[in-house]
Amino acid sequence: EEQLVASGGGLVQPGGSLRLSCEASGFTMSRYWMSWVRQAPGKGLEWVANIKQQGNEQYYLDSVKGRFTISRDNAKNSLYLQMNSLRAEDTAFYYCARKIVVTGPYFFDFWGQGTLVTVSS
Amino acid sequence: EIVMTQSPATLSVSPGEGATLSCRASQSVSSYLAWYQQKPGQPPRLLIYAASARATGVPARFSGSGSGTDFTLTISSLQSEDFAVYYCQQYSTWPPLTFGGGTKVEIK
């Protein structure tokens, strides 16, 4: 069974840092582009970042550029999101999601359960 | 950035009736559009890609149509498990990948 399990969320003060992890099982993560997508409580979906299969390309939402870093360790079948200089508006559930394996179109064929990040003093 | 607008925000439907959800892009996305279903406490689930192709395991009562800037998700004969929030997403031009604000389909 394919799974994506996100962890690392929690309560952090404004300006603080958190590192989210997402562990994949049941499939070979190295074959896929991977992403983080967030959802503020009761709100819609917002794409955050993408990373290519070997980690040599990353793309970010403008509002997180320079503060967040997406990375991966294919040997551990794991995806990460290092979040620095956190702001209240970063409060959200953070989902890891898999892009379809086919080269080209970027939509998500599989999502993990989210991990909640709360930025508050 | 391509802005995706969904309407209506909420749709009240009786079980067994049909529902039509709309998604509009601020510029043409060709057929590079996906639809997702999200139930409370769960991650989104892919329903439709390439505007009209059903994902694996998606019932035939879900259908997508449209191209360019105007898209429709149609659910024929709503079942109890179909009451959820539905999001469209464009993947024509990125970054950023962008989603619509969602349509909540609720029981009338």
Side-chain angles (χ1 to χ4, degrees):
Chain A
E1 180 192 5
E2 296 179 327
Q3 282 194 315
L4 287 168
V5 179
S7 61
L11 175 63
V12 61
Q13 292 189 339
S17 298
L18 272 180
R19 188 192 194 212
L20 306 184
S21 299
C22 174
E23 185 170 352
S25 59
F27 68 97
T28 304
M29 197 183 76
S30 61
R31 297 182 65 206
Y32 297 86
W33 282 74
M34 296 296 295
S35 301
W36 289 97
V37 178
R38 67 185 179 185
Q39 185 172 38
K43 302 297 184 184
L45 300 168
E46 182 176 53
W47 166 78
V48 173
N50 290 349
I51 187 167
K52 198 174 180 181
Q53 289 95 328
Q54 298 308 311
N56 53 332
E57 280 185 46
Q58 305 94 31
Y59 300 90
Y60 297 93
L61 182 67
D62 279 351
S63 63
V64 309
K65 214 172 284 185
R67 300 189 298 123
F68 290 11
T69 302
I70 188 172
S71 62
R72 63 195 297 162
D73 184 340
N74 288 334
K76 295 182 179 179
N77 246 17
S78 292
L79 175 73
Y80 306 102
L81 187 67
Q82 177 66 44
M83 303 186 296
N84 299 331
S85 302
L86 281 160
R87 306 167 180 167
E89 54 264 37
D90 296 319
T91 294
F93 288 93
Y94 284 74
Y95 295 99
C96 51
R98 184 181 79 184
K99 173 197 171 302
I100 61 158
V101 70
V102 173
T103 300
Y106 210 115
F107 56 89
F108 307 103
D109 72 337
F110 189 65
W111 300 63
Q113 295 291 337
T115 186
L116 178 61
V117 172
T118 303
V119 184
S120 174
S121 55
Chain B
E1 172 177 335
I2 297 178
V3 177
M4 307 301 292
T5 303
Q6 290 186 243
S7 62
T10 304
L11 192 58
S12 297
V13 184
S14 299
E17 290 185 342
T20 300
L21 288 65
S22 295
C23 174
R24 175 165 289 179
S26 60
Q27 64 190 75
S28 177
V29 299
S30 186
S31 295
Y32 298 117
L33 186 104
W35 289 94
Y36 302 88
Q37 176 194 66
Q38 187 179 32
K39 298 178 182 179
Q42 295 185 19
R45 169 198 176 199
L46 177 67
L47 293 179
I48 300 285
Y49 62 94
S52 60
R54 272 190 302 276
T56 302
V58 175
R61 62 181 181 272
F62 291 91
S63 63
S65 64
S67 66
T69 60
D70 291 300
F71 300 87
T72 300
L73 175 68
T74 302
I75 313 171
S76 62
S77 188
L78 269 131
Q79 307 298 299
S80 57
E81 61 267 30
D82 300 336
F83 292 95
V85 181
Y86 293 83
Y87 294 96
C88 60
Q89 177 228 327
Q90 70 81 22
Y91 51 96
S92 171
T93 302
W94 65 275
L97 293 160
T98 50
F99 294 87
T103 292
K104 181 180 181 181
V105 178
E106 65 176 23
I107 300 175
K108 186 175 182 180

